[in-house]
């Protein structure tokens, strides 16, 4: 009990305790994720072939399976210092309210204007684009968190930022859009008539409100057809997961500082970058035989790529212009129902997270959105933070695990990733508060129909 009192509500690190390198967990994986493939040749893609799409150094990071630590350039570390280290918070109030003997900690990534962990990779990608002398970058955004983070990062490095925003979000989330424009980004609703692929989709499906895959295709086309531009992506890619390891490295340092040993680590999984970044240092320990942890990925029941998807090669985008990745996927043509956790509505999963899941290092559960909002509301009322719907998937399962501890009397230590705040998701909260939220779970037939369209790659 005395020991425990010494653990503060918030564990902050000193500036000199912040990580100076990202940790590349692939270096410690015996079975590496399968190589990503060139969509034209279906052969493993090379750095040279990636260079027309991605910045040079990011292309190298994408394909680097062997370097365990990659130094964080000083300019990026300086930017990180403006909003990091992120606190590791002991959820004393939540523990008390639940009456659980479990000890609950969360790593809070919502302490920056963009409101989520995505800034950790946005600033890195903008830095490498600037260093390469590029004029600007293009990207897509669904719910808007990634576009917001990228527009902040681009304005810091004085880069042009072109965001293709899924049309339905563009119309329904005017405030996100205006934050991006305030930071100087050009925001185009997707599908648009500014690209070939956009025009083609508009012809085929007039009146469509767009999808993330379609916006990706437009952003890639815009980058590859304009001199001095490259495409950047907010999740799924191994380079993004690498940048997000600042989350896990800080978490590990903070836990070690107080001799805390985590038993269960929980994160929400959209494209897998925040989860991958949080768990990487811990998975590294498991892979090297130094420690053991239970790791749980939480996904929406409406978009269950790990729990119901197939582990095969698939396109990362609807337009089939991006490299193919071997990953747990629902099929690149799968359009999930309008779940309010926009950041988790992606058909596939990071190839690193997929391989770790395939080998049993990670468990996965899917949860329905009404139960997620119930947990979100409970958390907001008890811990004060208004969580993003995506993050609330992790909250839901952390609470479930804490309640299991209450039944068994086990004093487990639970750590979860609280990826962001929900201030721009108030329409979703409104639905929930008005009792108008429903749960949609795709049927097996719907999934089979989507699997039937998967590319045949041996
Ligand atoms: C984008 C987003 C996610 C999903 O992150 P992935 O790294 O793609 O799994 C989770 N939480 C918030 C707040 C987000 O903005």
């Amino acid at each position: 009990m005395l020991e425990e009192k010494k653990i503060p509500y918030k564990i902050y690190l000193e500036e000199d305790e912040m990580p100076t390198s990202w940790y590349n967990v692939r270096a410690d994986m015996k079975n590496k994720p399968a190589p990503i493939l060139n969509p034209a040749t279906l052969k493993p893609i090379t750095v040279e072939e990636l260079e027309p799409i991605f910045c040079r150094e990011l292309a190298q990071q994408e394909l680097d399976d062997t370097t365990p630590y990659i130094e964080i350039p000083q300019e990026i570390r300086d930017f990180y210092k403006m909003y990091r280290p992120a606190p590791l918070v002991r959820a004393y109030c939540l523990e008390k309210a639940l009456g659980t003997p479990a000890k609950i900690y969360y790593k809070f990534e919502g302490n920056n204007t963009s409101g989520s962990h995505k800034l950790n990779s946005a600033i890195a990608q903008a830095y490498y684009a600037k260093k390469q002398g590029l004029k600007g970058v293009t990207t897509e955004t669904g719910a808007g968190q990634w576009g917001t983070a990228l527009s902040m990062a681009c304005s810091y490095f004085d880069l042009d930022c072109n965001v293709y925003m899924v049309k339905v979000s563009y119309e329904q989330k005017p405030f996100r859009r205006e934050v991006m424009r305030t930071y100087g980004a050009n925001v185009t609703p997707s599908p648009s008539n500014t690209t070939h692929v956009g025009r083609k989709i508009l012809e085929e499906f007039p009146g469509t409100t767009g999808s993330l895959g379609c916006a990706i295709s437009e952003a890639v086309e815009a980058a590859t057809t304009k001199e001095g531009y490259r495409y950047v992506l907010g999740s799924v890619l191994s380079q993004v997961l690498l940048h997000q390891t600042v989350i896990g490295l800080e978490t590990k340092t903070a836990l070690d500082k107080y001799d805390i040993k985590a038993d269960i680590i929980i994160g929400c999984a959209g494209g897998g970058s925040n989860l991958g970044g949080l768990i990487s240092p811990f998975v590294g320990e498991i892979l090297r035989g130094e420690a053991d942890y239970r790791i749980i990925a939480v996904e929406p029941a409406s978009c269950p790529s790990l729990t119901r998807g197939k582990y095969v090669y698939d396109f990362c985008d609807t337009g089939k212009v991006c490299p193919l990745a071997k990953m747990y996927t629902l099929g690149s043509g799968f359009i999930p129902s309008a779940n309010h956790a926009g950041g988790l509505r992606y058909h596939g999963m990071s190839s690193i997270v997929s391989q770790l899941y395939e080998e049993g290092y990670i468990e996965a559960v899917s949860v329905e959105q009404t139960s997620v909002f119930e947990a979100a509301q409970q958390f907001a009322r008890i811990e004060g933070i208004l969580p993003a719907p995506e993050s609330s998937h992790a909250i839901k399962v952390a609470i479930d695990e804490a309640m299991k501890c209450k039944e068994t009397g086990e004093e487990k230590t639970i750590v979860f990733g609280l990826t962001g705040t929900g201030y721009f998701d108030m329409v979703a909260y409104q639905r929930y508060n008005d009792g108008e939220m429903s749960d949609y779970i795709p049927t097996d037939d719907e999934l089979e129909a989507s699997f039937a369209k998967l590319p045949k790659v041996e």
Side-chain angles (χ1 to χ4, degrees), residues 85-128:
L88 181 69
V89 185
R90 173 80 184 263
Y92 281 114
C93 301
L94 181 63
E95 291 169 16
K96 198 166 154 221
L98 298 175
T100 175
K103 300 177 178 72
I104 307 173
Y105 296 84
Y106 57 89
K107 179 70 168 171
F108 182 47
E109 290 291 323
N111 272 336
N112 67 77
T113 301
S114 75
S116 82
H117 67 280
K118 292 198 172 70
L119 193 56
N120 300 332
S121 184
I123 194 63
Q125 298 192 48
Y127 166 80
Y128 289 115

Side-chain angles (χ1 to χ4, degrees), residues 165-193:
M165 186 170 188
V166 178
K167 195 183 269 165
V168 61
S169 305
Y170 183 91
E171 284 160 3
Q172 287 181 358
K173 301 206 164 178
F175 296 144
R176 275 274 178 215
R177 185 181 78 209
E178 294 313 315
V179 177
M180 287 184 253
R181 293 179 62 211
T182 302
Y183 282 99
N186 304 306
V187 188
T188 308
S190 166
S192 74
N193 56 19

